Amino acid sequence: MFRVSPMCRVLLLVPRADLDAAIDEVGALGALHLLDLAGREDWVGGVRASDVAESRRERLDALRRLEALTRFYAAPPPRGLEAAPLLDVIDVEQQLGQWSAEMESLRSERTQLRDEIERLEHELRAVRALAPSSVNISAVRAMRFLVGECGWLEQTEVGRLEESLARIPHRVVPLERTAEGQLVFAFAPSRERETLERALRAVGFERLELPADASGIAGDATRPLEAKLEQAQAALRELDERFERARHDLALPLARARTAIERSLLSLEAQALAQRSESISFISGWVPRTQVDALRAALRRATGGRCYVRVEEPQSIDSVVTRREAVPILLRNPALFRPFERMVGAFGTPRWGELDPTPLVATAFWIMFGLMFGDVGQGAVVAMAGWWIFRHIPRYRDYGVILMECGFSAVAFGFAYGSVFGREDLLPALWFRPLGDVARLLRIGIAFGLAFLSLGLALSVLNSILRRDWAAAWWGPQGLLSASSYWIGAALALRWLASGRMGVRAGVAAALLGAPLALLWAMRAWTELREEREDGSGGSGLVAAVLHSAVELVDLIVRSIANTVSFVRLAAFAVAHAGLLVAVFALAQTVAAAPAGRLWGFVVIVAGNLVVIALEGMIVSIQAVRLVYYEFFSKFYEGSGLAYRPLRLLPHGASKEQA
């Protein structure tokens, strides 16, 4: 705890013929953070990088084709895929074309059948519309000197059609009135076809398309069309079943094919970072010290013992000591603190040689959440919500643990406040009630801020000592001199908050505070002058250095005061939380006077508590994160380290979520 996992840099030498097998074994172990060996100054001649650009383009193209095939045709893969032999990526690329062709053929056949059914339905509709009028389709088609059009138009448009055709010989025969409108037959001489069509378009005529092979009385043509339609619909149902079976049958092969391609891409990336000679391949990276023996064993399995592993400690590497090379950081924390690694990682990764602040962040977060959200009932609801997330949503399991821990903290502070779902008459307050002693709550918030920020300053000094940066440890912006001044001020402030008196005379207090600040001012000015002389720039002289250091000192004092005052929000949100619940119960009492008031009052209390849990819980969490990021981390934490990202190939037949 507080320290990251110790790492070692390794150099692996394997025969070129065994490189793929070695990468596969190392990736299955999932412990090696690869380094790019290109441009290393200590390589001898004849060593060069592997050219994998063309292979990588081919794999990416195959992955895009596979994703398109999955998106349009394949069903989601089943959960919990069993381990299966890894598919050969070359076979996968060949099968992709076959799978695409099969699914495209089924899709095209289904589209054709649907178009055929749509055409038959349209023709059957036309024939059924003519059936009551006993129209002879054969006679209509046999006309030589007349042209006839059958279709629907609005009843009010029949008169307009007659007017449009008044100047030519014509006949408009109304047939049946249907839901689509008035069914009519319009006849005109063959030579007036264009005039008839223009007039029909002008009145919004919807043409009735008759089947090409229909003949005789319209009513006699319905049965053959109905039989064809039923046959086409049965064929479509069968084809849909085949299509669905093909989709589900393809889900598992596509998932395993994706695994094969992704593994191949990772392997190619590893090869690109490696170097090779005519007969040997070189791989380098960082591995946790506890995994070195497992890495050796994996390489021996892959190469039959034909390998060499050189292990180096970070302290023995000049590029690490001089900070030209970063050591990847692997955090190690107990289960209770581990979910908060996400919060720390969102700000940044600690540098090699620094302390891991995760346990302190977790503890402070619990205290701040409970202080602002103290309620036995509401805390229990938050904890149960976290438990449900932990059990049913594996992807957000860490957040479920954080909710459970914060819920338990809220329950503990709820007992201290004597609050259960906002009721303060069910339990005695083991400490005090927020609304009954706001001044005390303010003092607690400030005291917590002083202690929390003092801890941040102590960590800043300790990290500087661990890095052997003695100047930063003594007179840096967060060094021992500024920390001493802050601690003296914090001690005086805490004494005043507790008793109303500082315990020393004003002159003594000013001397205690001023001495480290004056020394810090002098050392910052001296450091600036020395740096200007060393880089040969000449600088602006002593006066400018003194003024610049004075501005920095004032800024440091103002920021320290502002950081401390920010913790007043702990008291403010605790009071707001209690005040919102008082408002909920006041509203419930008002509603209770109405008919069925007890029921509606109970609904108001339940709904109000749920709103407070959701709204206040989110706001309190945001404020706690803000205090950690902007007040605590600003004292000591840069987050500029390199996160540990090992080469990890997916297990055979597994998905990314399962790996």
Side-chain angles (χ1 to χ4, degrees):
M1 194 165 64
F2 296 110
R3 299 306 302 267
V4 299
S5 296
M7 307 292 287
C8 297
R9 194 175 73 177
V10 295
L11 176 64
L12 315 178
L13 277 66
V14 299
R16 282 188 58 185
D18 296 329
L19 178 60
D20 289 339
I23 289 176
D24 196 67
E25 283 289 341
V26 170
L29 179 63
L32 181 63
H33 180 106
L34 288 169
L35 291 177
D36 189 356
L37 293 178
R40 283 282 295 267
E41 299 176 357
D42 51 347
W43 289 118
V44 296
V47 176
R48 60 189 182 278
S50 300
D51 186 8
V52 298
E54 183 62 30
S55 298
R56 189 172 184 275
R57 280 194 297 270
E58 293 174 357
R59 302 297 182 270
L60 288 174
D61 179 66
L63 186 60
R64 284 191 291 268
R65 290 162 55 201
L66 186 142
E67 288 175 345
L69 185 61
T70 303
R71 183 167 59 252
F72 288 111
Y73 296 121
R79 290 184 176 272
L81 296 180
E82 296 180 358
L86 185 63
L87 300 176
D88 183 81
V89 70
I90 304 300
D91 294 339
V92 167
E93 292 175 344
Q94 294 174 352
Q95 288 177 343
L96 276 175
Q98 179 183 347
W99 290 333
S100 298
E102 291 175 356
M103 297 305 294
E104 178 61 24
S105 175
L106 287 174
R107 187 201 64 81
S108 178
E109 189 177 349
R110 193 167 62 164
T111 301
Q112 291 175 4
L113 261 178
R114 285 176 174 171
D115 292 342
E116 174 69 11
I117 289 173
E118 185 179 354
R119 182 185 64 80
L120 289 172
E121 288 175 342
H122 189 74
E123 292 179 351
L124 185 59
R125 171 171 165 261
V127 171
R128 284 173 175 169
L130 291 176
S133 304
S134 300
V135 174
N136 191 320
I137 298 175
S138 301
V140 172
R141 286 179 170 161
M143 293 186 303
R144 297 177 58 190
F145 302 106
L146 292 176
V147 59
E149 294 289 350
C150 183
W152 291 275
L153 57 103
E154 294 292 334
Q155 178 68 28
T156 56
E157 299 294 329
V158 176
R160 284 187 56 203
L161 179 61
E162 291 280 7
E163 293 176 2
S164 300
L165 297 175
R167 59 189 180 85
I168 64 171
H170 71 280
R171 177 72 171 173
V172 177
V173 181
L175 297 177
E176 298 291 332
R177 293 192 64 180
T178 65
E180 291 85 353
Q182 177 67 55
L183 183 65
V184 299
F185 244 126
F187 296 95
S190 298
R191 66 177 181 275
E192 301 292 345
R193 178 186 295 274
E194 292 185 4
T195 303
L196 176 63
E197 290 180 352
R198 280 198 304 271
L200 292 175
R201 285 196 299 270
V203 296
F205 180 78
E206 182 184 352
R207 181 175 282 101
L208 187 150
E209 300 288 347
L210 293 172
D213 55 350
S215 61
I217 303 302
D220 298 337
T222 56
R223 288 185 179 178
L225 282 174
E226 288 173 349
K228 288 182 180 179
L229 181 60
E230 291 178 1
Q231 184 179 3
Q233 289 173 338
L236 180 60
R237 286 193 296 271
E238 181 183 354
L239 188 60
D240 284 341
E241 292 176 359
R242 286 172 52 199
F243 188 82
E244 288 302 315
R245 284 197 302 270
R247 286 181 68 237
H248 286 280
D249 291 345
L250 203 58
L252 189 57
L254 284 181
R256 288 175 174 157
R258 184 185 186 92
T259 298
I261 294 175
E262 289 176 344
R263 285 175 63 92
S264 178
L265 280 170
L266 285 173
S267 178
L268 290 173
E269 290 177 10
Q271 292 181 40
L273 296 176
Q275 297 281 301
R276 62 185 177 88
S277 64
E278 293 300 325
S279 58
I280 300 295
S281 291
F282 305 84
I283 308 172
S284 184
W286 291 93
V287 64
R289 187 181 296 160
T290 56
Q291 295 283 344
V292 171
D293 292 338
L295 180 65
R296 282 198 180 98
L299 279 179
R300 291 194 184 102
R301 286 195 303 270
T303 63
R306 300 183 302 275
C307 62
Y308 169 75
V309 179
R310 187 178 74 187
V311 181
E312 298 173 292
E313 293 291 336
Q315 298 83 354
S316 65
I317 304 173
D318 291 339
S319 58
V320 172
V321 175
T322 57
R323 301 195 176 280
R324 290 182 289 109
E325 180 178 353
V327 179
I329 301 301
L330 173 62
L331 304 180
R332 54 174 187 179
N333 288 287
L336 286 177
F337 299 145
R338 199 173 300 135
F340 285 89
E341 291 177 359
R342 286 177 176 263
M343 184 185 298
V344 174
F347 191 89
T349 304
R351 293 185 297 179
W352 176 71
E354 291 183 342
L355 296 177
D356 174 18
T358 303
L360 298 175
V361 169
T363 305
F365 196 92
W366 299 336
I367 295 173
M368 289 188 289
F369 188 93
L371 193 64
M372 292 185 282
F373 197 80
D375 188 281
V376 175
Q378 293 183 352
V381 172
V382 171
M384 287 188 291
W387 173 253
W388 187 88
I389 293 173
F390 177 80
R391 291 296 302 272
H392 296 94
I393 312 179
R395 184 177 180 183
Y396 298 110
R397 183 168 292 170
D398 285 347
Y399 299 113
V401 174
I402 292 175
L403 281 178
M404 284 191 286
E405 294 170 347
C406 290
F408 293 143
S409 176
V411 169
F413 276 90
F415 281 112
Y417 296 157
S419 176
V420 182
F421 289 116
R423 294 283 299 272
E424 297 186 346
D425 56 347
L426 300 178
L427 292 175
L430 301 180
W431 193 11
F432 70 98
R433 300 193 188 278
L435 289 179
D437 197 347
V438 176
R440 185 179 185 182
L441 194 60
L442 287 171
R443 290 196 298 269
I444 291 171
I446 293 294
F448 179 83
L450 289 171
F452 197 38
L453 296 180
S454 296
L455 181 60
L457 290 170
L459 289 175
S460 175
V461 174
L462 185 56
N463 280 333
S464 297
I465 293 173
L466 291 175
R467 296 195 304 267
R468 289 177 168 75
D469 189 350
W470 306 112
W474 280 100
W475 56 81
Q478 312 299 338
L480 188 58
L481 288 176
S482 61
S484 299
S485 179
Y486 186 83
W487 292 335
I488 293 170
L492 295 173
L494 287 173
R495 177 70 181 270
W496 179 79
L497 288 173
S499 62
R501 296 182 297 108
M502 285 191 298
V504 296
R505 295 179 180 179
V508 176
L512 290 174
L513 285 170
L517 291 177
L519 185 56
L520 176 63
W521 183 8
M523 294 304 299
R524 297 290 295 175
W526 175 77
T527 301
E528 184 172 339
L529 287 172
R530 187 191 63 182
E531 291 175 350
E532 290 174 355
R533 286 197 301 269
E534 288 177 352
D535 62 22
S537 60
S540 310
L542 177 62
V543 175
V546 170
L547 290 176
H548 185 260
S549 300
V551 171
E552 286 185 348
L553 185 62
V554 172
D555 178 68
L556 179 64
I557 295 171
V558 171
R559 281 192 291 110
S560 297
I561 295 173
N563 292 154
T564 306
V565 173
S566 289
F567 284 85
V568 170
R569 70 185 67 233
L570 296 176
F573 282 100
V575 171
H577 181 248
L580 283 173
L581 292 173
V582 169
V584 168
F585 279 96
L587 180 60
Q589 289 179 354
T590 304
V591 172
R598 288 187 177 182
L599 175 61
W600 287 112
F602 178 76
V603 171
V604 168
I605 291 173
V606 173
N609 269 274
L610 291 176
V611 170
V612 170
I613 290 172
L615 181 63
E616 191 75 9
M618 179 180 65
I619 294 174
V620 164
S621 300
I622 292 172
Q623 294 305 319
V625 171
R626 184 201 178 281
L627 289 172
V628 169
Y629 280 177
Y630 296 102
E631 319 302 342
F632 183 57
F633 279 175
S634 64
K635 298 301 179 187
F636 73 99
Y637 192 64
E638 295 181 5
S640 57
L642 175 65
Y644 174 65
R645 296 285 185 268
L647 173 68
R648 181 175 286 116
L649 299 182
L650 298 177
H652 294 187
S655 62
K656 276 185 175 179
E657 289 74 12
Q658 296 167 323

